Amino acid sequence: MWGIFLESLVIFQNYAGYHQNKFLFGIFLFFLLYLWLKEDNKVLRALFVYTPTLLLFLFFCPVFRKVFVALLNDAETYYRLIWLLQMSMVSAYGAVKLCGKYRKMGLVIMTIAIVACGSYVYQSEHITKAENWYHLPEEAVEVAELIDPEEGRVMALVPADLIYYIRQYSSRINMPYGREMLIARWDYYHDMYEAMEQAEVIETSSFVELTRSYGCNYVVLKQDRKVEEPLTDYGFVLYAQTENYLIYQDTELGE
């Protein structure tokens, strides 16, 4: 039981960014305790006091974790339970309630606290400045715009580094496989993925047979991707080209 509790603690520390910034959870805990003492409205008390307290208790309860994992048969998704915690909402409401009688001074104090306890987000290796309104790589948007249909849907086979972005741009673009193929520990197998990504050189004949069996209207390849024979010898046309990608359209399937 103690080992399960410690595992939950590590998960929570990662969620709260404890190792990078210890202040965030401290602020949340302070305002949660404050609302326990000062909040009288029953609805708001249930939302900002009872609910987060119950979630914290359940998350760290070894018995609950055992039942949760047993029912879902998936230990990896346990961390998603704390998505319901809403630390920012509790902290924001508690701060407003605390400073409500002294709004000007409270605004100054809370602004200073936010700046002092926060950090510059672009210092993180996981966050980069957006290249466009979509917050997606510019070339991924360019590829998606070229194959995105005005009506209906199309099937497109794209390199692994575009999989995350194409469907974020448009739900009208289907793909024969998705992100499940990029998570190694899930150990999924897909014949189209094997032909597209795992083969050192694409065997064109069998590759084209697969793309047509999955109804791929478009095939996007990196410009340096090696193929035994050009796709244009098998009924494809070079539909468009970007800096790093070649977009082929299957004339037998069309758009």
Side-chain angles (χ1 to χ4, degrees):
M1 289 292 185
W2 180 246
I4 295 176
F5 174 80
L6 291 178
E7 288 179 8
S8 298
L9 180 61
V10 171
I11 294 173
F12 187 83
Q13 288 177 333
N14 291 333
Y15 161 79
Y18 181 80
H19 299 292
Q20 291 76 35
N21 191 329
K22 297 179 176 62
F23 295 107
L24 295 178
F25 180 67
I27 291 173
F28 161 74
L29 190 60
F30 170 81
F31 284 117
L32 179 61
L33 294 174
Y34 172 77
L35 292 173
W36 262 106
L37 299 173
K38 296 296 184 179
E39 183 55 63
D40 297 322
N41 184 288
K42 291 183 179 180
V43 175
L44 295 177
R45 192 172 178 83
L47 181 63
F48 294 116
V49 179
Y50 299 145
T51 299
T53 302
L54 178 62
L55 283 169
L56 280 174
F57 172 77
L58 291 176
F59 183 79
F60 287 108
C61 177
V63 175
F64 176 80
R65 179 172 178 175
K66 280 191 171 184
V67 173
F68 182 97
V69 172
L71 289 176
L72 296 183
N73 194 28
D74 186 0
E76 291 187 2
T77 60
Y78 186 68
Y79 73 94
R80 295 181 181 178
L81 182 67
I82 49 179
W83 289 356
L84 302 172
L85 191 57
Q86 298 300 326
M87 288 173 53
S88 57
M89 289 181 60
V90 174
S91 300
Y93 176 72
V96 170
K97 185 174 181 65
L98 177 63
C99 302
K101 294 181 180 180
Y102 310 97
R103 295 182 181 179
K104 292 183 179 179
M105 181 60 68
L107 177 62
V108 172
I109 293 174
M110 292 311 302
T111 300
I112 293 174
I114 291 171
V115 172
C117 296
S119 59
Y120 186 57
V121 295
Y122 292 113
Q123 288 179 339
S124 170
E125 60 179 315
H126 304 295
I127 299 177
T128 57
K129 292 185 177 181
E131 299 179 32
N132 47 59
W133 289 106
Y134 302 104
H135 288 241
L136 299 174
E138 191 63 44
E139 194 167 13
V141 172
E142 184 181 357
V143 170
E145 287 180 338
L146 287 166
I147 62 179
D148 188 28
E150 294 183 3
E151 297 180 356
R153 295 176 179 272
V154 295
M155 180 71 75
L157 177 65
V158 303
D161 55 348
L162 291 179
I163 286 177
Y164 285 107
Y165 308 121
I166 297 298
R167 285 302 299 275
Q168 290 184 60
Y169 177 85
S170 174
S171 61
R172 295 185 295 266
I173 304 174
N174 294 334
M175 294 180 289
Y177 49 80
R179 65 182 288 269
E180 71 278 0
M181 301 308 304
L182 307 182
I183 311 299
R185 66 179 182 276
W186 290 357
D187 197 27
Y188 278 88
Y189 174 83
H190 197 291
D191 52 359
M192 188 75 263
Y193 180 81
E194 291 293 314
M196 178 70 166
E197 300 292 341
Q198 301 303 312
E200 184 175 345
V201 179
I202 291 177
E203 201 286 300
T204 313
S205 178
S206 58
F207 179 79
V208 168
E209 185 177 341
L210 278 173
T211 64
R212 286 174 177 159
S213 70
Y214 286 103
C216 298
N217 308 91
Y218 296 97
V219 173
V220 181
L221 298 178
K222 290 184 177 180
Q223 292 203 27
D224 59 356
R225 188 66 170 100
K226 296 179 180 179
V227 294
E228 285 188 350
E229 301 171 84
L231 291 180
T232 50
D233 291 351
Y234 287 80
F236 284 78
V237 295
L238 183 59
Y239 176 77
Q241 181 175 343
T242 66
E243 181 179 354
N244 294 296
Y245 301 98
L246 300 172
I247 304 173
Y248 293 93
Q249 183 182 5
D250 191 342
T251 57
E252 292 191 10
L253 295 178
E255 294 190 19

